[in-house]
Amino acid sequence: MAPENPDVTRFLHDGRLLAMPRRWEHRRAVARWLAHATLPDLLEPLGERELTDRLAELAADPVGARRAMVDLGTVHRTRDGAEYWRTELTEYDGLTPDEVVEDVDTSEGLHRTLHLDGRRVDSVATFYDELNRVFMAGEDWDLGPSLDALDDLLHGGFGAAHGADRVTVVWHAFDRSRDALGFAATRAYYLAKLGDPRFDAALFRGRLADLEAGRGRTYAELVLEVFADHPDVELVLR
């Protein structure tokens, strides 16, 4: 039985979708519900026929539903349409605390995998909230909201990365985070720095000017650069 959601059940009749809703946000919600219900394992490919059969149990128009999931970006497919797979976490997945950190003992030592949930990121501040949730659960203090703090964290001297011989960070729903940490969030971040006398106004004024001229990097790009400076930390974007 697929999980229910108040935003989705209004479009169902006896648990089945008779037609995709018209409004984009409603179509997107239904597509996410269908994607999780028919492709419960993230990134696990499924053949076209089997996916269509699964959709037929939930939707009156399984082919149209399959096409909508692809068009709305919740599901990807091979060029020939032979296989489909889900590419993002949905509200029906919900990483539990036990799933946020995974440890595996290997011949090369302890391999620790950390999962960031991009659905929780809608600003620079909430990005650091998510880092603290995942990396700092065992600490009695929180990471400050700065790129220097992120750099220190990835060095592994404290937090969940500490003590691991190999670290992988899986950033789920990265596209959503990238949008949230895009131009608008970056501009707001620089304006906040300019309003704080503790920071170098000339430095951040220049960065703001570059951003507005299309030359500057977004906060998401800056975060990726910090990760790139740590080749011992594998970053997987999903």
Side-chain angles (χ1 to χ4, degrees), residues 48-125:
E48 180 186 46
R49 181 180 296 275
E50 186 173 356
L51 175 59
T52 304
D53 289 344
R54 291 183 183 184
L55 284 167
E57 297 179 2
L58 297 171
D61 180 8
V63 174
R66 189 188 69 214
R67 185 180 302 115
M69 291 193 301
V70 173
D71 291 343
L72 291 163
T74 59
V75 170
H76 285 191
R77 67 177 183 178
T78 55
R79 185 180 296 273
D80 60 3
E83 290 187 328
Y84 294 73
W85 60 94
R86 182 160 62 98
T87 56
E88 62 180 42
L89 289 171
T90 72
E91 56 270 38
Y92 305 107
D93 290 284
L95 290 172
T96 68
D98 290 339
E99 294 171 326
V100 168
V101 180
E102 298 174 314
D103 286 345
V104 176
D105 288 319
T106 70
S107 59
E108 298 177 349
L110 177 63
H111 179 195
R112 177 162 292 161
T113 301
L114 306 162
H115 294 269
L116 295 175
D117 186 350
R119 298 170 302 166
R120 296 173 178 262
V121 177
D122 58 20
S123 65
V124 173

Side-chain angles (χ1 to χ4, degrees), residues 117-185:
D117 186 350
R119 298 170 302 166
R120 296 173 178 262
V121 177
D122 58 20
S123 65
V124 173
T126 55
F127 168 66
Y128 287 96
D129 288 343
E130 178 62 3
L131 286 178
N132 280 310
R133 183 181 76 90
V134 174
F135 279 86
M136 302 295 287
E139 303 286 349
D140 59 2
W141 57 281
D142 285 341
L143 192 73
S146 78
L147 293 169
D148 287 340
L150 172 60
D151 184 58
D152 289 342
L153 178 68
L154 296 179
H155 277 295
F158 57 88
H162 180 62
D165 299 288
R166 179 184 169 196
V167 174
T168 297
V169 177
V170 182
W171 193 336
H172 299 273
F174 171 73
D175 286 351
R176 182 167 175 172
S177 298
R178 180 179 57 197
D179 292 342
L181 301 176
F183 176 87

Side-chain angles (χ1 to χ4, degrees), residues 13-28:
H13 180 70
D14 292 334
R16 283 176 57 81
L17 176 70
L18 299 183
M20 288 293 289
R22 294 182 179 181
R23 292 179 58 178
W24 182 88
E25 61 269 26
H26 294 159
R27 291 173 64 84
R28 173 77 169 163

Side-chain angles (χ1 to χ4, degrees), residues 181-197:
L181 301 176
F183 176 87
T186 309
R187 185 174 185 274
Y189 170 77
Y190 288 148
L191 288 173
K193 295 296 184 185
L194 288 172
D196 191 329

